[in-house]
Amino acid sequence: MTAIAPPADCHQPQPGPAWAWWRRLAWVPWRQHRSALAWVLLGFALAAAAMALIPVNAGGNWFPGGFPDQTLTRVVLMLQLLPVLTALFLGVPLVAREAESGTLALAWTQGTGRARWLLVQAVPLAVLPALAAAGLGAELSWWLGPAGWRARAWDPAQLSLNPLPFAGWVVLAFSIGLALGAVIRRTVPAIAATIACYGVMLLVVEGWKSKLLVNLHLYEVAAPHGVTARYLAFQSVEFGGLIAVSVLLTAVTVIVIRRRDA
Amino acid sequence: MGHARPAQAESPIAFRLDQGSGVPTYRQLVHQVEQSLRLGYLKEGDRLPTVKEAVESLVINPNTVLKAYRELEHRGLAAGRPGLGTFVAGTLRRVGVAEQAALRKSLLAWLSSADEAGLDPDGMAALFSAALRDFAERRDGTSGRRGAGGRPAGARTGRGRRAAGEVA
Amino acid sequence: MNVIESCGLAKRYGRTWALRDCSLTIPAGHVVALVGPNGAGKTTLLNMAAGLLRPTAGQIRVLGGERPGSDAARPRIGFVAQDAPLYGHLPARDMLRLAATLNLTWDNVRALARLADLGIPLDRKVRQLSGGQRAQLALTIALAKRPEVLILDEPLATLDPLARHDFMGSLMAAVAEDGLSVVFSSHVVSELERIADYLVVLNSGRPQLVGEVDALLAVHRILTGPGDEMAVDPQRLVVVNARRAGTQTHLLVRTPAAGDPDPAGWLSARAGLEDLVLAYLRDPGASVLPGPAMRTPVVQA
């Protein structure tokens, strides 16, 4: 019976570098959240399959700033659901479900502190869906084809669905779910609050972007071929901003769980 | 359990606990060891139950067993060997079968007199228990809870009326 | 070393005070029973000692001065919360592994040996185990991290009599083996006398009776007599509880010292632990508390 990692008859604190313990702890999110993660990634996979199978209406008209095609609308909506999926299945339950089932009293009285316990789980559960999102963003560009992509490049919604920003939105959604789950401590209300918060964030940010793009007269500029530095800059700023807010939210979450009663 | 301890022979005796008797647990254990010695269940060199064995089966505090074993050591009946357990070190005068039979006979005679005096079995038991407690505590000297000069408690048969002026 | 030391500790939930002005010291090397009615604050106190709850007022220290829940304290305390929370979806083997991963010190050999002795199959899911088995698994996990003290919140509440017997026997064996200190709470008093050697009675969020069981029992006795309370000298004997039935009175009294002679005219009997606890619970004004151990002096009623 050797599946348990620490050596048998271990009576002393383990020597070794700190990262070794983090690596050993990585088993925890894998064991506890792997099925939820699988479901979320399945959602991403289904979206990817849908895009691969559904043909874009190549003959349709492409209008900048609008949704000329029903299929496109549906695809975009579907993709917007995925960050929410991540938040609800991975972010919210991390603390909220353990609070509801009483297992925080078990998890938070072992040798591992609350901060380490939270972070060692939150990081992989945010990063893996983010990578999947980046992949989907790339697939979306392919799906639109050069004409479609060019026509809609500066649409705020379209901007968000490029690989970098899309990954950022997934991480942000996860962080919102994590934070609200940690504060509200009950899954169902936290889910409602997360959807509301994420929706508000989305509207606010998209609103800013639209104004910004109008002010910069980018709507009227015909999108160039391929990716330009300015386009990448926009994506990077969006990505950077989303990640910064996520990190901030997560830091606040760690502070909150350390101070509050279990 | 999972630790490197030499395999030991089982102890010949297992302790019992009489919860309702009012006798402190550790004293019950001491008496059970003495009784086992008297009746031949235990002989010199036998191992007494380990503290762990005793507490696991009786569900009592380990300090109680330790207290009992210390008392037995004090009386010269047991000796602890570190890492191995506690072993019977001395002997009590064994009561032979003939002696036991004689004692039983005199006890039956006493019971008949008690019956003639009008005591029912419960009354006989109460009188006997009280006298026995008195006897044991007097014999055990100052190891009772009350200390020297104190009157032992635990009686329910009118001894309280003698309390005020009496010094043990 | 004091396992738990609190000074003016208080905890409020909304408008309710679960603990109020709770000052006590619980020494190491004992099996400590924390008793009191439901809502007395036992769970609150133990959860605070485990670092899961923060005080509203006052302070609490564990293991001779450590802050509860700190990195220094957590590995040295084995805590089992009420209802022995475990991850139901995990097989016992993975539940052990999870606990092992979350702790730096872990005695795997002992954990596996204990489960084998108890007959708990490693591949059975925790939610499929019986209540008694779950409690034993939780205890195994708490013991495997080799703590100095075990804190158990109502470990027997959901167990049937056989499971209770096995659990307590198992616990006592662990104490015998490791010299652990144990602090456990219970609202059932009847079986504590043979297990606990230190007692803390909490009533309405305050400690009422604190001390070694032997010492407490030595200074209390039950007096039975035909007289009324006036016959007992209040200077010498504190009457904790009085019960009258017809022409008979039963008093539970406290003497200033063990071995004091009984008053004339009364039958004296040893008070059992259950009698003692019940009498004090019925009289919230009475208390027996040890002398000042922390800054705040403690008043004896």
Side-chain angles (χ1 to χ4, degrees):
Chain A
M1 179 39 244
T2 52
I4 300 189
D9 238 315
C10 162
H11 293 260
Q12 300 301 321
Q14 301 232 39
W19 61 263
W21 196 18
W22 285 96
R23 190 182 59 177
R24 196 157 60 89
L25 281 171
W27 182 81
V28 174
W30 165 248
R31 189 58 188 86
Q32 296 283 64
H33 300 282
R34 62 190 181 196
S35 42
L37 183 63
W39 283 106
V40 169
L41 294 179
L42 181 67
F44 280 82
L46 286 176
M51 269 196 284
L53 296 173
I54 299 170
V56 168
N57 183 0
N61 288 321
W62 297 96
F63 301 107
F67 289 110
D69 189 73
Q70 277 290 341
T71 316
L72 180 58
T73 313
R74 289 194 195 115
V75 164
V76 167
L77 276 176
M78 166 185 73
L79 292 179
Q80 288 289 4
L81 284 177
L82 293 173
V84 178
L85 192 73
T86 311
L88 301 192
F89 275 69
L90 297 175
V92 167
L94 216 162
V95 178
R97 193 172 65 165
E98 298 227 18
E100 277 176 323
S101 60
T103 50
L104 284 183
L106 175 66
W108 289 0
T109 52
Q110 306 306 318
T112 308
R114 299 181 194 187
R116 201 185 299 243
W117 173 87
L118 186 87
L119 291 174
V120 83
Q121 301 190 81
V123 167
L125 295 178
V127 166
L128 291 173
L131 292 175
L136 267 185
E139 193 189 353
L140 180 66
S141 304
W142 162 83
W143 186 75
L144 287 171
W149 188 89
R150 232 180 301 137
R152 303 183 35 73
W154 289 104
D155 177 86
Q158 174 60 16
L159 255 180
S160 307
L161 294 176
N162 279 293
L164 268 180
F166 196 28
W169 281 106
V170 164
V171 171
L172 178 70
F174 175 85
S175 314
I176 293 175
L178 182 68
L180 290 173
V183 166
I184 296 176
R185 300 281 173 97
R186 291 205 340 265
T187 311
V188 171
I191 282 177
T194 302
I195 293 174
C197 272
Y198 182 73
V200 165
M201 282 284 315
L202 205 56
L203 288 173
V204 165
V205 172
E206 296 301 286
W208 281 346
K209 272 160 57 180
S210 300
K211 259 203 221 110
L212 186 63
L213 291 172
V214 164
N215 287 342
L216 294 177
H217 303 288
L218 286 170
Y219 271 126
E220 296 136 22
V221 173
H225 288 267
V227 174
T228 62
R230 180 153 54 163
Y231 197 65
L232 257 184
F234 252 85
Q235 289 186 43
S236 310
V237 166
E238 189 170 345
F239 173 75
L242 293 167
I243 296 299
V245 173
S246 305
V247 166
L248 191 66
L249 264 180
T250 307
V252 168
T253 308
V254 166
I255 292 171
V256 162
I257 65 167
R258 278 174 58 126
R259 274 178 193 224
R260 271 185 59 174
D261 292 348
Chain B
M1 243 192 329
H3 289 273
R5 240 201 222 170
Q8 300 185 42
E10 285 224 1
S11 172
I13 62 161
F15 288 122
R16 259 184 37 252
L17 188 62
D18 183 357
Q19 283 209 257
S21 70
V23 177
T25 307
Y26 88 97
R27 196 165 284 161
Q28 290 186 34
L29 301 182
V30 170
H31 286 169
Q32 283 176 38
V33 171
E34 290 181 336
Q35 198 72 339
S36 305
L37 278 172
R38 268 190 211 100
L39 298 177
Y41 299 139
L42 273 181
K43 42 183 203 309
E44 196 162 348
D46 279 343
R47 184 175 67 79
L48 295 176
T50 62
V51 178
K52 188 180 160 198
E53 283 166 3
V55 303
E56 191 158 13
S57 55
L58 295 180
V59 190
I60 56 176
N61 192 302
N63 283 334
T64 312
V65 182
L66 290 171
K67 202 168 165 191
Y69 284 5
R70 268 200 302 274
E71 177 71 23
L72 288 168
E73 283 186 16
H74 183 65
R75 296 191 190 183
L77 295 174
R81 282 183 226 156
L84 294 174
T86 312
F87 293 81
V88 178
T91 45
L92 285 178
R93 218 182 117 241
R94 286 258 325 258
V95 181
V97 176
E99 230 176 305
Q100 278 188 56
L103 284 168
R104 193 179 143 84
K105 203 166 153 192
S106 58
L107 189 57
L108 283 168
W110 180 86
L111 288 170
S112 309
S113 338
D115 183 45
E116 272 161 37
L119 277 178
D120 68 352
D122 281 340
M124 293 178 205
L127 189 55
F128 181 79
S129 306
L132 181 60
R133 260 195 292 273
D134 248 352
F135 176 79
E137 281 170 10
R138 226 167 273 150
R139 187 193 61 168
D140 290 343
T142 58
S143 59
R145 256 204 321 283
R146 299 287 155 166
R151 192 185 57 76
R156 289 176 188 275
T157 52
R159 294 171 59 221
R161 294 203 185 81
R162 300 190 318 239
E166 180 172 277
V167 173
Chain C
M1 180 183 81
N2 287 321
V3 160
I4 298 177
E5 211 171 315
S6 75
C7 183
L9 191 62
K11 180 66 180 171
R12 184 173 61 178
Y13 296 109
R15 289 241 189 90
T16 328
W17 289 90
L19 277 184
R20 201 104 200 232
D21 195 26
C22 175
S23 303
L24 43 71
T25 27
I26 298 180
H30 293 270
V31 175
V32 182
L34 178 64
V35 302
N38 288 326
K42 311 186 293 289
T43 295
T44 304
L45 179 62
L46 295 184
N47 275 271
M48 290 175 95
L52 294 171
L53 298 176
R54 308 269 190 256
T56 306
Q59 62 166 300
I60 174 171
R61 291 287 177 267
V62 294
L63 298 167
E66 301 288 355
R67 206 173 41 82
S70 64
D71 288 346
R74 271 189 334 265
R76 296 162 66 189
I77 296 181
F79 178 68
V80 180
Q82 212 164 0
D83 297 330
L86 296 165
Y87 294 107
H89 58 281
L90 295 180
R93 166 183 291 124
D94 283 356
M95 184 63 248
L96 269 191
R97 180 173 176 180
L98 188 74
T101 309
L102 291 176
N103 284 296
L104 284 170
T105 320
W106 185 261
D107 189 346
N108 203 35
V109 170
R110 182 202 196 137
L112 294 174
R114 241 187 88 92
L115 291 190
D117 273 350
L118 293 164
I120 296 178
L122 288 172
D123 47 18
R124 187 160 309 163
K125 293 211 162 89
V126 165
R127 62 172 168 239
Q128 293 167 333
L129 296 175
S130 69
Q133 288 175 316
R134 275 204 294 274
Q136 289 281 19
L137 179 57
L139 181 61
T140 302
I141 287 173
L143 288 172
K145 56 192 267 214
R146 297 300 224 155
E148 290 168 38
V149 56
L150 273 186
I151 298 183
L152 311 172
D153 189 2
E154 306 246 4
L156 307 176
T158 59
L159 302 184
D160 64 69
L162 184 60
R164 246 182 253 159
H165 185 274
D166 289 345
F167 183 91
M168 268 307 175
S170 200
L171 180 63
M172 292 297 105
V175 173
E177 241 182 320
D178 301 326
L180 278 180
S181 306
V182 177
V183 180
F184 75 98
S185 65
S186 174
H187 60 265
V188 174
V189 192
S190 47
E191 303 201 331
L192 293 180
E193 191 166 344
R194 62 198 218 204
I195 296 168
D197 55 5
Y198 201 91
L199 179 71
V200 175
V201 174
L202 274 189
N203 199 354
S204 309
R206 285 189 170 86
Q208 205 185 354
L209 198 55
V210 179
E212 301 228 4
V213 168
D214 283 345
L216 287 172
L217 292 179
V219 295
H220 288 88
R221 61 190 81 156
I222 297 181
L223 299 179
T224 306
D228 56 30
E229 261 184 70
M230 300 306 148
V232 170
D233 182 0
Q235 300 287 61
R236 276 183 50 238
L237 291 180
V238 177
V239 177
V240 179
N241 187 251
R243 228 169 11 110
R244 285 168 231 287
T247 53
Q248 239 194 5
T249 303
H250 299 283
L251 304 177
L252 186 99
V253 298
R254 184 171 74 237
T255 64
D260 273 10
D262 289 322
W266 293 88
L267 300 178
S268 171
R270 177 184 176 276
L273 194 61
E274 189 174 9
D275 298 322
L276 196 65
V277 172
L278 292 176
Y280 275 86
L281 288 179
R282 288 203 186 99
D283 181 10
S287 69
V288 178
L289 300 167
M294 296 185 75
R295 287 128 248 152
T296 315
V298 149
V299 175
Q300 191 156 351

